[in-house]
Amino acid sequence: MPPLNQDAFHAALDALRAALSFGAPADAVLSRFFRENPKLGSQNRAFIAEAVFGVLRQKFVLDRICAPDTSPRRMLLAWLIRGGRNLREFDPIVSREDERAFLAGVKAFKVETLTLGERAELPEWVAGELQASGMSDEAILALGQSLAQPAALDLRVNTQKMKRESVKAELAALGLEATETPYSPFGLRLEGRPAVNKHTLFNEGAIEVQDEGSQLLGLLVSPKRGEMVADFCAGAGGKTLLLGMLMASSGRLYAFDVSEKRLANLKPRLARSGLSNVQPQRIEHENDTRIKRLAGKLDRVLVDAPCSGLGTLRRNPDLKFRQTAQSVDELNVKQAAILASAARLVKPGGRLVYATCSILPRENQGIVEAFLAAHPDFNLLPASTVLAEQRVELNTGDYLQLTPKAQGCDGFFAAVLTRKPRTAVAPPSDSEHAPDVAA
């Protein structure tokens, strides 16, 4: 970390106050803050971003350390001490004796006094749901603490334009050391947060920023050239672009979403990608007439359902303060409705992939099990079987279940469902049509 100074500290404090209102996503708060303070140097901007996200990642512990005074200033000071700062470094920003005494006691705080949720940096209701699902306290602690760490930057190579080895070499020439992702055959991982969107590789569509877990979802869909495929909740289109790449820009790929703004964000990415088989379409809801016209016609459908996003806490730590058990109740209703509607698109023998970036069983297995009980014409296909067909050595059981602790990527869940082929009806035998000679 750079040396502490008054200007950077107070700017970070202002940004933290804005983020702690939880009125908007933390990354949006920071973007607005930097726009409003254009004179901040790059070093100060990096410190401010790290400070805000650092406090959000450790807020449950910091609240207990700082109690009863959980002001943003106290939390920021505690975070700095827990990050390894020496007390002497605080001379430029701390003059009060009570603050110096507080800082001296921060490192003596005993984490054993914390609840499981606090130690795991998860809301108590989340820790409780995970316990109720059968997860051990040790596993919950490991999961939560892994989600509280900063994430590396994963890239997906657009193999329609370049090979992974060539991209890796070009990044190295730019001073960016990339390693191949352990599971995705077209992924690269960079440490830190380099601004890859300023590089030619990005602007020419050779790379996209995409977590490795998200890349694996595309492999579960595994679309073929010439097929009809839909990304049912396309958003800004990261997975859509991956599916289009796997289809070699052939066939027809529908990108459905209810948000015009999100689909508008897809357009420049689509232009960079060079894909010509993608058809973005805004729909009013999951029962839109556009959906009904395609019923039973699609080979493969991906449902990346709206969810709590708790599997992305490494990148969006504020989500754990903006989601509640009640908001997940509402999401469950929406998830079930979307999955049932998307299933109508799948033709007999076709594939339906349901996915979330959630760690909660009721957004994942719970939704899938209820769907299968209500739709006997669908079967569960083990995710490990599908990945093995793609030469990916990853077996998490019937479902794809990813965590930062186990696989080094965001928390993802996915289930692969197949629609049973139509059973051919045998023609009646000759005896059934023979005249009744006994009459």
Side-chain angles (χ1 to χ4, degrees):
M1 285 187 185
L4 290 176
N5 65 75
Q6 286 274 9
D7 290 342
F9 179 81
H10 287 293
L13 193 54
D14 289 341
L16 180 59
R17 286 193 186 99
L20 288 175
S21 70
F22 302 117
D27 56 352
V29 170
L30 279 177
S31 294
R32 183 172 63 247
F33 183 82
F34 291 144
R35 285 196 304 272
E36 294 171 351
N37 296 272
K39 294 184 179 180
L40 289 169
S42 59
Q43 192 175 63
N44 282 349
R45 289 163 68 99
F47 170 76
I48 292 165
E50 185 180 6
V52 169
F53 276 83
V55 169
L56 292 174
R57 288 190 177 101
Q58 300 181 33
K59 186 176 182 298
F60 287 119
V61 173
L62 295 177
D63 279 345
R64 285 290 300 273
I65 290 175
C66 297
D69 177 5
T70 56
S71 64
R73 180 181 177 89
R74 292 261 287 192
M75 282 197 285
L76 183 53
L77 290 171
W79 173 76
L80 287 165
I81 280 288
R82 283 174 60 82
R85 291 280 188 174
N86 189 291
L87 281 173
R88 289 190 298 273
E89 295 182 70
F90 288 82
D91 290 342
I93 59 173
V94 173
S95 57
R96 291 163 34 192
E97 283 304 315
D98 61 329
E99 284 191 336
R100 290 186 179 277
F102 164 71
L103 290 173
V106 168
K107 288 189 175 180
F109 182 82
K110 297 188 183 301
V111 296
E112 294 80 8
T113 63
L114 300 174
T115 66
L116 174 64
E118 289 168 339
R119 283 186 293 142
E121 279 298 335
L122 293 171
E124 294 298 335
W125 66 271
V126 172
E129 287 197 18
L130 294 176
Q131 279 183 313
S133 74
M135 187 179 290
S136 69
D137 289 1
E138 293 76 13
I140 294 170
L141 188 60
L143 172 62
Q145 290 179 346
S146 69
L147 286 167
Q149 301 302 314
L153 180 67
D154 285 358
L155 306 176
R156 176 182 61 79
V157 175
N158 181 358
T159 54
Q160 289 289 101
K161 293 199 169 189
M162 290 185 71
K163 293 183 178 180
R164 180 163 66 168
E165 295 75 14
S166 301
V167 170
K168 184 177 178 181
E170 286 206 26
L171 289 171
L174 295 168
L176 300 174
E177 184 175 348
T179 57
E180 297 180 357
T181 48
Y183 306 110
S184 169
F186 26 74
L188 290 171
R189 181 162 293 160
L190 296 168
E191 292 301 323
R193 304 295 296 176
V196 295
N197 60 335
K198 296 180 180 179
H199 294 303
T200 302
L201 285 169
F202 180 85
N203 292 322
E204 293 185 351
I207 57 173
E208 278 283 345
V209 175
Q210 187 174 30
D211 186 80
E212 183 183 22
S214 179
Q215 297 178 37
L216 293 178
L217 298 185
L219 290 175
L220 289 181
V221 180
S222 58
K224 303 294 189 292
R225 297 185 185 205
E227 289 187 332
M228 290 181 66
V229 180
D231 186 349
F232 200 77
C233 306
K239 298 178 188 69
T240 304
L241 299 178
L242 168 56
L243 295 176
M245 181 190 81
L246 294 174
M247 297 167 72
S249 197
S250 66
R252 187 175 300 176
L253 174 56
Y254 295 97
F256 294 121
D257 204 272
V258 297
S259 169
E260 190 70 53
K261 182 179 179 180
R262 286 195 291 263
L263 289 177
N265 291 333
L266 167 60
K267 290 181 180 178
R269 303 176 74 184
L270 183 56
R272 289 196 305 268
S273 73
L275 296 174
S276 59
N277 65 333
V278 179
Q279 296 189 22
Q281 294 193 9
R282 192 184 79 82
I283 56 176
E284 294 294 334
H285 43 70
E286 67 270 15
N287 293 313
D288 191 285
T289 54
R290 293 177 180 84
I291 304 299
K292 292 180 179 179
R293 284 198 295 265
L294 291 170
K297 296 179 180 179
L298 271 60
D299 297 282
R300 298 165 198 264
V301 177
L302 170 63
V303 178
D304 183 19
C307 67
S308 65
L310 293 172
T312 68
L313 290 179
R314 299 188 303 168
R315 307 173 197 280
N316 308 294
D318 52 303
L319 277 176
K320 58 189 172 184
F321 308 106
R322 294 194 293 115
Q323 293 286 9
T324 65
Q326 292 70 36
S327 66
V328 175
D329 288 340
E330 296 172 6
L331 284 167
N332 287 159
V333 175
K334 187 178 295 185
Q335 289 157 353
I338 289 174
L339 180 57
S341 181
R344 292 182 298 176
L345 296 175
V346 183
K347 71 182 185 182
R351 178 176 296 182
L352 174 64
V353 175
Y354 173 81
T356 75
C357 50
S358 174
I359 57 174
L360 296 178
R362 65 177 165 126
E363 294 189 83
N364 298 335
Q365 297 96 322
I367 296 294
V368 173
E369 289 168 4
F371 172 83
L372 288 172
H375 295 79
D377 55 331
F378 278 86
N379 286 325
L380 179 69
L381 178 62
S384 56
T385 300
V386 179
L387 291 177
E389 292 170 351
Q390 306 292 315
R391 299 181 181 178
V392 176
E393 295 183 5
L394 176 61
N395 185 354
T396 63
D398 284 346
Y399 302 115
L400 179 70
Q401 299 183 86
L402 307 173
T403 67
K405 176 68 175 177
Q407 288 84 26
C409 53
D410 286 346
F412 277 99
F413 169 90
V416 183
L417 309 169
T418 56
R419 190 166 206 164
K420 296 176 183 177
R422 285 197 182 97
T423 303
V425 178
S429 65
D430 290 342
S431 61
E432 293 178 48
H433 288 283
D436 190 353
V437 294

